[in-house]
């Protein structure tokens, strides 16, 4: 069998596997069972501790979103990895699509976490429309249809969330998630 046919089959298998993982992750994230879902405010804690936990969860989720966006969307885009004919383009696009979906999910979680702290809630509330606007961007990235404006929108929302956190006393630092975290 020619090498190009084997390579095409391998890439198709990889793409299908990623699609199944993304679908399974999206379907399973709202479930009520499992250790990953935690209550909005921990039981047996004071309101001050609950606010501290809200800030901590916000910083963690926003940091993961920022790290994934920079590492697997912005950096490869600036390096030209998404252009037609670029080496590793398909893999870079699939990974960017996964990172975009992951970042959107973590930004939504960070927005929910911010509701547990009054100051953080006021700072993040105006950003909910920007976060919602990123919903379809993962698909655009995966299909190779994202342009300068889309990447700029992603960066802008991430920077706005980081600035809002900083103004509320919850500084967000980029945390690059592992590839396995992107897939589920």
């Amino acid at each position: 069998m020619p090498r190009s046919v084997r390579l095409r089959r391998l890439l198709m298998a990889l793409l299908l596997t990623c699609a199944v993982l993304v679908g399974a992750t999206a379907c399973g994230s709202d479930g009520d069972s499992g250790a990953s879902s935690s209550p909005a405010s921990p039981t047996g804690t004071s309101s001050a501790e609950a606010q501290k936990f809200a800030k901590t969860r916000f910083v963690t989720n926003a940091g993961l979103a920022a790290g994934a966006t920079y590492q697997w969307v912005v950096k490869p885009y600036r390096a030209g990895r998404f252009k037609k004919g670029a080496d590793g383009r398909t893999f870079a696009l699939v990974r960017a699509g996964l990172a975009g979906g992951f970042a959107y999910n973590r930004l939504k979680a960070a927005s929910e976490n911010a509701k547990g702290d009054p100051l953080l809630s006021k700072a993040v509330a105006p950003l909910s429309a920007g976060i919602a606007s990123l919903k379809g961007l993962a698909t655009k990235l995966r299909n190779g249809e994202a342009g300068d404006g889309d990447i700029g929108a992603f960066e802008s929302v991430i920077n706005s969330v980081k600035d809002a956190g900083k103004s509320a006393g919850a500084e967000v630092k980029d945390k690059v998630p592992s590839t396995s975290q992107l897939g589920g």
Side-chain angles (χ1 to χ4, degrees):
M1 178 175 337
R3 184 174 182 205
S4 64
V5 173
R6 280 187 264 163
L7 183 60
R8 261 190 250 136
R9 285 184 180 174
L10 178 66
L11 285 174
M12 185 57 75
L14 177 66
L15 286 173
L16 289 174
T17 302
C18 289
V20 169
L21 284 174
V22 169
T25 302
C27 293
S29 65
D30 288 311
D32 227 6
S33 64
S36 64
S37 62
S38 60
S41 60
T43 57
T45 59
S46 68
S47 63
E49 287 175 330
Q51 288 177 4
K52 181 179 179 186
F53 289 134
K55 276 187 177 182
T56 302
R57 288 192 312 260
F58 169 82
V59 168
T60 300
N61 284 321
L64 285 168
T69 300
Y70 181 73
Q71 182 70 28
W72 287 302
V73 178
V74 175
K75 213 163 105 176
Y77 182 79
R78 288 183 182 157
R81 301 282 312 263
F82 298 163
K83 292 183 180 176
K84 289 187 180 186
D87 280 344
R89 177 178 187 253
T90 303
F91 186 64
L93 289 173
V94 169
R95 196 167 38 188
L98 289 171
F102 177 83
Y104 171 72
N105 182 295
R106 293 298 85 208
L107 285 173
K108 281 186 60 169
S111 179
E112 285 298 313
N113 297 144
K115 292 178 182 176
D117 182 70
L119 186 59
L120 197 54
S121 178
K122 289 177 187 173
V124 175
L127 304 175
S128 59
I131 293 169
S133 72
L134 300 177
K135 187 173 186 172
L137 192 55
T139 305
K140 279 181 140 180
L141 285 166
R142 204 173 312 120
N143 294 335
E145 300 168 355
D148 288 336
D150 297 317
I151 303 299
F154 225 130
E155 270 188 301
S156 174
V157 170
I158 293 289
N159 289 333
S160 297
V161 169
K162 288 169 81 173
D163 291 343
K166 189 173 184 176
S167 72
E171 188 172 350
V172 177
K173 297 190 189 278
D174 293 4
K175 294 179 184 176
V176 179
S178 67
T179 307
S180 64
Q181 285 178 306
L182 292 180

